[in-house]
Amino acid sequence: MSEATRKAGANSRLPPEVNRILYVRNLPFKITSEEMYEIFGKFGAVYQIRLGNARDTRGTAFVVYEDIYDAKSAVDHLSGFNVGGRYLVVLYYQPSKFQRRIDAEEKKKELETLRRQVKAKKAAIAAAEGGGENEAS
């Protein structure tokens, strides 16, 4: 980014959700980090790229820029950009949303565990009651 553009941008206020970490979705599963650096590097110095490689994170990545204005430029230009027949979804990373998702998953697991425990207790009670009636006859 040129110094004149940076100074002009420094005077304008950025929205609060803008930061230098981007979350990218809908990536082709076969994309390499070199290709990612080639695509995202056009908008400024990239500090780091993390590609999702687990089953539930494939097709996603985090891109960290050195400068917030470069990140903004990348979001503006790459949202909807076609890569490998897929249209990219480029968003600013918002930790609160990710934490809410993690919390929801944890609560869901906890609820499932409690349901299993209740089901096991009901089965044990039914077996005890069923066994008591057979002995009385």
Side-chain angles (χ1 to χ4, degrees):
M1 186 177 249
S2 73
E3 197 60 35
T5 308
R6 192 180 306 270
K7 285 181 181 176
N11 293 335
S12 64
R13 300 215 14 113
L14 292 173
E17 72 273 3
V18 175
N19 67 51
R20 57 190 202 100
I21 304 172
L22 306 181
Y23 176 61
V24 186
R25 295 188 341 217
N26 204 32
L27 286 165
F29 290 167
K30 303 282 186 192
I31 196 163
T32 65
S33 38
E34 288 80 19
E35 292 170 322
M36 291 286 292
Y37 275 102
E38 186 179 318
I39 294 167
F40 285 88
K42 292 177 182 174
F43 300 97
V46 175
Y47 178 73
Q48 182 181 49
I49 292 180
R50 288 289 182 102
L51 281 169
N53 56 5
R55 183 167 170 71
D56 58 335
T57 60
R58 285 190 329 175
T60 64
F62 288 99
V63 179
V64 183
Y65 277 94
E66 296 282 346
D67 184 70
I68 193 168
Y69 293 101
D70 296 340
K72 183 178 184 322
S73 178
V75 169
D76 293 344
H77 291 92
L78 291 177
S79 290
F81 186 72
N82 190 327
V83 176
R86 302 182 75 140
Y87 294 98
L88 298 184
V89 178
V90 184
L91 306 165
Y92 296 106
Y93 172 63
Q94 295 175 328
S96 60
K97 284 188 177 182
F98 281 86
Q99 189 59 46
R100 278 191 294 234
R101 181 179 297 152
I102 290 168
D103 290 346
E105 288 173 3
E106 288 174 357
K107 287 180 181 179
K108 192 175 181 180
K109 287 178 185 176
E110 183 180 349
L111 185 60
E112 188 60 37
T113 303
L114 290 172
R115 284 184 175 149
R116 278 193 226 111
Q117 289 174 353
V118 167
K119 190 175 182 180
K121 284 184 180 180
K122 283 183 177 180
I125 292 170
E129 288 176 356
E133 290 175 8
N134 288 345
E135 291 176 7
S137 354

